[in-house]
Amino acid sequence: MKKLSFIISFALAATITFAQTTATATRVVNKGKKTTTTAGTLYAKKASKVAIITGKDALIMNGTAFTMKKGPLKAKTDATKDMQYRTFHDVLENILLGGNTDVSKYSDTKITKSNGNTVYTITPSAGNKKLMFTSFVLTVSGKELKSIRLNQRNGHYTDYLFSDYKTGVTIDDKVFK
């Protein structure tokens, strides 16, 4: 399988520590009949800047602004206006900042424990059928983000799996534009 570099920063008090890990990104379509593994990079900086870039596709969170690129197509939303992305933003910040945000207050978030991991499942309300994703699933082991799964309305999904954290990486802010 091709590797996906995962670069992440943890903001702890007044210091910022950078870490890097490798991962695989697998996209499953047609209910498992077609699977592709794509190389790319996931960057995170200051917890509210995250970019998953694979080939011509990208999911970028820059503060509360989200941009999804699929080849030449681009969609934008803002977490202050879209509750599912607001919750995703806050859960991701909670994970990266070590639990400083209380995400249990959100009715669209289910937090469970499984095999020593904490699993955050973010599902929009049943009345919101316009969203591209039916749910986001983030899995954490201790304070390490282990995976992100993006489930789509059509049954397709993308899994990002992370491991082997290393420190000492600098990330250019251009990645988040």
Side-chain angles (χ1 to χ4, degrees):
M1 285 189 164
K2 296 179 181 179
K3 292 292 179 179
L4 173 77
S5 295
F6 177 68
I7 303 169
I8 185 169
S9 68
F10 298 107
L12 301 172
T15 63
I16 297 175
T17 305
F18 298 96
Q20 175 177 334
T21 185
T22 57
T24 58
T26 304
R27 179 164 164 70
V28 177
V29 296
N30 297 329
K31 299 184 180 173
K33 293 179 182 174
K34 181 179 177 189
T35 302
T36 57
T37 301
T38 306
T41 306
L42 189 149
Y43 302 94
K45 186 175 185 179
K46 299 179 185 173
S48 64
K49 292 186 176 205
V50 177
I52 303 171
I53 302 170
T54 55
K56 295 180 181 181
D57 298 343
L59 175 62
I60 300 168
M61 177 178 83
N62 191 353
T64 61
F66 281 83
T67 303
M68 174 66 113
K69 297 177 186 177
K70 289 293 245 175
L73 304 174
K74 184 189 277 190
K76 292 184 177 192
T77 191
D78 192 297
T80 60
K81 299 174 184 170
D82 185 326
M83 189 57 189
Q84 184 181 30
Y85 282 93
R86 174 58 187 219
T87 304
F88 181 73
H89 174 272
D90 290 352
V91 168
L92 197 54
E93 275 195 340
N94 183 57
I95 292 166
L96 300 178
L97 291 171
N100 295 332
T101 304
D102 180 12
V103 296
S104 65
K105 63 185 175 186
Y106 295 121
S107 61
D108 60 350
T109 303
K110 181 179 174 184
I111 303 170
T112 58
K113 301 283 185 179
S114 176
N115 299 323
N117 296 322
T118 303
V119 179
Y120 299 83
T121 303
I122 304 164
T123 307
S125 64
N128 197 343
K129 302 290 185 192
K130 295 180 181 180
L131 298 175
M132 177 182 288
F133 298 104
T134 58
S135 65
F136 302 126
V137 182
L138 297 89
T139 303
V140 179
S141 178
K143 292 185 178 184
E144 288 186 356
L145 180 64
K146 291 297 185 184
S147 68
I148 297 175
R149 182 177 186 152
L150 308 174
N151 293 306
Q152 294 179 283
R153 285 185 308 200
N154 56 11
H156 303 177
Y157 62 88
T158 302
D159 276 326
Y160 298 94
L161 306 175
F162 313 107
S163 62
D164 303 324
Y165 285 86
K166 299 174 182 92
T167 58
V169 177
T170 302
I171 304 167
D172 190 331
D173 279 338
K174 291 178 185 176
V175 169
F176 308 103
K177 295 184 183 199

